Structure formats: C-alpha cells, structure tokens
Amino acid sequence: MKTIAVTIVLLGMLIVSSRAQGPQPDKADFPDDFLWGVASAAYQVEGAYQADGKGESKWDFFTNTIGVTQFTIGEKQTANVTINQYDREQYLRDIQLMKELGINTYRFSIPWSRIIPQGVGEVNTKAIAHYHLLIQDLKEAGIEPLVTLYHFDLPLALLQKGGWLNRESVQWYKNYAKVIFENFGNEVRHFITFNEPYIEFFVADFMMNPSQSKESGNVRYAKEMDNVNHQLLASAEAIKLYHEMNLKGKIGITFNLSPCLPFDAGNPEDVEAVSLQDELLNRIVLDPVFKGKYPKNALAAIQKYNPGFQPSAEDLQLILNNQPDFLGINFYAPAQVKKDDGAPLGVSWMGNNTDAVKMANGPVRPEELYNLLMRIKNEYGDPEIIITENGASFENDEDKVVDGKVNDMTRTDYIQRHIAAAEKAVKDGVKLKGYFVWSGWDNFEWIFGYTIRFGLIHVNFETQERVPKSSYYWYQHFLND
Ligand code: BGC
C-alpha cells in the first residue's frame, strides 16, 4: 500500500506541475473545520442490486424493466453492478484512494430499499450492519460520513402505491428516517433529507417517459409539483424528528440551484422568460423552505394545468417551522433560458448551452456560483451552506486513459475555478461549511447510463480498474499543500 501511496503522490506532483492556469484558491482561506469531500449516490455506485435482501427500487425497475431512455439508444444499461461499491473489498480500496486524496468527509446515500425492502414494514438488519461497518471503515481512515437519506431511489413497492403523489409518502418517509436516526444518529454528524426534489421529478422521471404532446407535457409537469410538495413536507417532518431526538449533528436538504440567464441577451423574449424559469427552478424550493410560500407566477403556471395543487397554510407553516440546519447546494451551471412555446410551461433551459466546449449540465460560469452563494446569503436569511455537489463532464476526449493516465484538464480547470469562486464568497461572509466534488468516481449517470463521466477517478466499467485523473491530483495538491 505504501509504495502505491508514494507513487500516487509523485505522479500527482508531476501532473500538478502542468495544472490549469487561473485563480489558485488557497485552502487556508476556508475555515479549519471545513468539510472537504467527494460525493456519490447509492444507485449510481453500489451495484449489488439484490444483495443482502435488498428490495427493488424505482430505478432498478426503470433500468431493468423499462430500459434507459433515448440517451442510451439500443443499449439497456442498468446499475446492477455499476462500480461495485457495495462490495467491501472494493470500497476499502476506494476508501484508500479517498484517504490519499486528503479529504475529510465522504458524502454517500443509503438506499431506503436496502433498509426497509418494501418501503414500510420489516427492517433489514443485514443492511443496517453493512452501513455500520462502512461508517466504521471510513472513520478508521479519518473520513467522516455525510449521509443522504434519499437520492432518487424510492422503493418500488411504494411507487406502486402511488409514490410521492400519495400524501401517505410523508409518513412512509418519516418512518424510514426514524430507522436511520435510531441506528446511525450517533455516528453520523451530517444528514441530508433529500437530494434535489425538483430534478428527480422534472428531469429524471419526466424523461423516463417523455410526453408526446405539449398539453400532456404541461399537465405532467404541473402534477409533479405534488411530489415536490410532499418531499418538502417529508423533509420538514424528518428535520422535526431529528431535532426532537436531540441528536448532536446537523441535518439539511440539498437543492440543485441554477442561476437563470437569458439564452440570448439581445432577445427580449428570452430576457422576459428568465424570471419565470428562476421561480420554477430555484424559488420553487427555496421560497417554501425559507419564506413559507411558493412563488406566485410559478404557482399560477402550475395551477393552470393542476388546479388541485393548493398547498395549505398548515403545510407551508410546517415546512417553514422546520428549517434545515444547513442548505446543501448542488451547483453545476447556470440555466440559459429561452422562451419556448413547445416546452412545458413555455420556458426551457435544459440542453441550452452557448459554450464551444460543451459541458453536460450547461455552460461553465464559476462567477455564477459566487453570485448564487451571495444571493442565498442576502435573500434567504444567511443560512449555513454546504456545496454538496460541484463537478463536470465535458463533451471532449479528456476522460480517455492514455498511457495509464487520464489528463482531464478541462475538469481540473472547472474545479479549480469553482473552488476559487467559493473562496471569494467565504471572504465576503457566506457561511460556507463544506465543498464536495461530484463525483469521486465515474459512475452510472441516470438517464445517460455510462455515456457520461464525472469522476476524479476513472473507472473501467468492465474490469472495475480505477485510475486517478489529473483532477484528482490537482485536488490532492490543493488539499495537502
Ligand atoms: C445529481 C447526481 C448526478 C449529477 C450529475 C445531480 O443532479 O444529484 O446524482 O449524477 O447531478 O448530473
């Protein structure tokens, strides 16, 4: 192991010497107890989809039964194996790589369908034992766990009962959260209730079954809001419970936030579309949590197609009264917004990207991370913030292994510039408590299957071989210097 470690550091020094230009952030500008980490989600990395009595999740069903959408044409890609991280031999090797990287925290998710295979009812003790051991193994390596309770993977049995559209889902989730807190509440210091309510429904689920007509697209889109509202309620109930249990850590919720910019600043229609898109993308989750209301224009647009969506004053009060201890932000890119009559609710952002070298999630604009952090500070009561995901996948060849190396300089430059933007926000008073790269490893990217890579560590999906990329060495250098 020691020889491997020395080789990795030496290789790192070599690669770092040719690192990207631009602002060099300094770790010393961040608080001493700052959480530095990498992030993952169970469905994307674990595999072992039936091990130890696991129940089927909705994504097991989507991929094995329906098949992944148009993005992986002709191929049926699943995460039945993916990068095999449920396997202890494999995850111990991955922990070693994290240790050598120099991070102090690993963000991962626990799948509900492992802990309570049918969603409600019997608790699976084998799964509980697995995560106790994983947490212990991480701590022995000097790495703290940050645990997401829910990252898109509802137990299938609950989907069959109506899923998040069913208001009972709030109770199902609260019950699951109780099991997690009772078992792991004393050993985990940071929990996240939900990862990206909006994205789960409006992007992932929505695209699993693309609507044929404009009308049904609008209706489906508007109906998904019931799901989001139930998740916000479930999150509030879990936060309430966590605080009542008097556990010593912190609990937050993670939103994917994308500052909205006009696609064409010279086109008044695009300029006008920005404010509605901002309500639909960002304020739709921020406003209920921090202000106790849904934004007016988004609500009206949604109610046009889903008149039954009438969140009650009591629900909104419950959400407002149980605010997260920290806000998790996943930031990838701003949204370049177009007025688009063919898109649900008349505005579009996905797939709009004016950059020459395209990044999968949109244009590269690190200054928008800074602007976003300042906006949250100024408009949403200056909460503690953790950047729970930041990372990139580019439409170029940089993720290829050449002579045993992966020279991902575009990603390296992206991460460097985003950490510099976060550093600037810290200097300007934002209560930023952590930063996590998405992702530690290449993995299963939802509707895109294995066609897109985000890792600091390259994974050969056939052999499970890991190769740290230039971005890994840059981050290592930044963390250890
Ligand atoms: C999700 C991750 C996903 C990443 C990259 C985020 O929306 O939380 O699960 O892999 O973006 O697209």
Side-chain angles (χ1 to χ4, degrees):
M1 268 312 170
K2 208 163 170 204
T3 343
I4 299 178
V6 171
T7 321
I8 286 183
V9 172
L10 284 177
L11 244 176
M13 283 161 63
L14 263 177
I15 293 177
V16 163
S17 62
S18 65
R19 69 173 178 258
Q21 298 306 302
Q24 292 293 332
D26 184 350
K27 194 184 161 211
D29 289 332
F30 293 84
D32 288 344
D33 57 355
F34 200 77
L35 309 180
W36 291 105
V38 297
S40 74
Y43 187 70
Q44 298 178 269
V45 298
E46 283 189 342
Y49 78 124
Q50 293 174 322
D52 290 345
K54 180 181 172 300
E56 205 174 340
S57 78
K58 87 178 181 191
W59 272 87
D60 291 322
F61 172 73
F62 285 171
T63 56
N64 284 287
T65 308
I66 305 181
V68 173
T69 60
Q70 66 268 32
F71 294 102
T72 50
I73 302 168
E75 281 181 70
K76 191 164 163 187
Q77 299 189 351
T78 73
N80 296 352
V81 177
T82 181
I83 68 163
N84 197 33
Q85 225 183 55
Y86 190 77
D87 180 284
R88 186 158 183 252
E89 277 183 30
Q90 180 61 66
Y91 85 57
L92 286 175
R93 287 195 288 271
D94 286 340
I95 288 178
Q96 185 60 28
L97 283 169
M98 288 193 268
K99 189 174 173 179
E100 284 157 15
L101 178 58
I103 56 174
N104 57 27
T105 313
Y106 178 36
R107 176 187 173 212
F108 60 93
S109 77
I110 295 184
W112 187 343
S113 58
R114 284 198 197 276
I115 303 295
I116 308 177
Q118 296 308 307
V120 286
E122 207 173 322
V123 173
N124 178 6
T125 51
K126 278 192 180 162
I128 302 274
H130 172 87
Y131 292 103
H132 276 309
L133 190 56
L134 170 63
I135 290 167
Q136 186 185 316
D137 287 334
L138 281 165
K139 288 192 177 191
E140 273 169 21
I143 298 169
E144 283 295 315
L146 184 152
V147 171
T148 312
L149 271 67
Y150 182 86
H151 197 123
F152 302 175
D153 50 357
L154 189 73
L156 181 63
L158 298 182
L159 184 66
Q160 287 161 344
K161 290 185 188 170
W164 292 105
L165 276 182
N166 184 339
R167 199 183 159 99
E168 276 183 53
S169 55
V170 176
Q171 200 50 47
W172 302 334
Y173 178 85
K174 189 179 169 189
N175 172 60
Y176 161 61
K178 186 159 181 270
V179 175
I180 294 288
F181 300 154
E182 281 170 354
N183 283 282
F184 305 106
N186 289 321
E187 47 200 272
V188 172
R189 307 307 295 249
H190 290 88
F191 286 104
I192 292 172
T193 55
F194 284 88
N195 182 72
E196 304 181 346
Y198 180 94
I199 299 294
E200 174 180 359
F201 303 113
F202 292 89
V203 180
D205 286 12
F206 198 72
M207 295 183 80
M208 290 301 296
N209 288 300
S211 302
Q212 295 312 308
S213 73
K214 182 180 145 197
E215 175 63 12
S216 68
N218 282 328
V219 173
R220 282 201 54 212
Y221 193 94
K223 287 220 166 113
E224 301 287 11
M225 251 333 275
D226 293 300
N227 292 323
V228 173
N229 189 49
H230 289 155
Q231 286 198 346
L232 294 183
L233 281 170
S235 174
E237 289 283 12
I239 292 171
K240 186 162 178 256
L241 175 69
Y242 184 81
H243 290 149
E244 282 165 3
M245 287 172 76
N246 222 354
L247 292 161
K248 299 283 170 273
K250 293 190 173 178
I251 186 159
I253 186 166
T254 281
F255 298 143
N256 181 81
L257 299 176
S258 302
C260 291
L261 313 171
F263 181 79
D264 173 0
N267 178 344
E269 289 197 325
D270 289 356
V271 174
E272 203 193 313
V274 163
S275 146
L276 177 60
Q277 186 67 76
D278 178 49
E279 287 194 21
L280 288 166
L281 255 185
N282 305 310
R283 292 183 53 195
I284 198 77
V285 282
L286 286 169
D287 286 17
V289 167
F290 292 102
K291 300 184 175 172
K293 58 183 186 203
Y294 283 101
K296 224 169 66 204
N297 296 318
L299 195 58
I302 288 159
Q303 284 169 339
K304 196 166 149 203
Y305 299 98
N306 180 5
F309 184 65
Q310 301 284 349
S312 70
E314 296 79 56
D315 284 357
L316 286 164
Q317 197 60 48
L318 181 87
I319 295 172
L320 185 65
N321 286 350
N322 295 285
Q323 289 192 2
D325 299 329
F326 63 89
L327 172 66
I329 294 182
N330 293 349
F331 178 85
Y332 289 86
Q336 292 186 311
V337 181
K338 278 186 194 169
K339 165 136 175 33
D340 183 346
D341 292 333
L345 309 184
V347 283
S348 77
W349 57 281
M350 273 196 73
N352 299 345
N353 185 347
T354 50
D355 281 0
V357 179
K358 303 251 183 286
M359 181 176 75
N361 295 31
V364 178
R365 301 284 185 279
E367 68 279 11
E368 291 301 335
L369 172 61
Y370 171 81
N371 292 340
L372 172 66
L373 293 169
M374 296 307 289
R375 177 187 185 190
I376 300 294
K377 173 181 167 57
N378 296 327
E379 290 178 28
Y380 290 95
D382 197 13
E384 289 194 1
I385 298 175
I386 296 178
I387 297 172
T388 42
E389 288 179 29
N390 175 238
S393 176
F394 290 94
E395 288 177 19
N396 59 18
D397 274 352
E398 70 176 10
D399 282 315
K400 290 216 160 57
V401 184
V402 180
D403 298 331
K405 296 196 190 85
V406 181
N407 198 17
D408 60 339
M409 291 315 287
T410 334
R411 177 178 297 106
T412 306
D413 177 67
Y414 174 98
I415 293 172
Q416 176 183 322
R417 288 162 68 201
H418 283 78
I419 294 180
E423 176 187 47
K424 187 164 176 243
V426 168
K427 286 185 179 161
D428 288 344
V430 170
K431 291 186 205 145
L432 190 64
K433 303 291 176 190
Y435 172 91
F436 292 75
V437 174
W438 183 274
S439 176
W441 307 261
D442 295 337
N443 59 52
F444 179 84
E445 178 56 26
W446 307 113
I447 49 178
F448 299 97
Y450 297 100
T451 61
I452 311 191
R453 293 172 180 269
F454 276 89
L456 294 177
I457 298 167
H458 182 278
V459 179
N460 178 324
F461 298 118
E462 303 295 320
T463 63
Q464 297 297 341
E465 191 193 348
R466 271 64 166 157
V467 177
K469 306 178 189 176
S470 303
S471 53
Y472 173 99
Y473 295 116
W474 180 85
Y475 196 31
Q476 181 185 58
H477 182 79
F478 167 77
L479 292 173
N480 296 291
D481 257 12

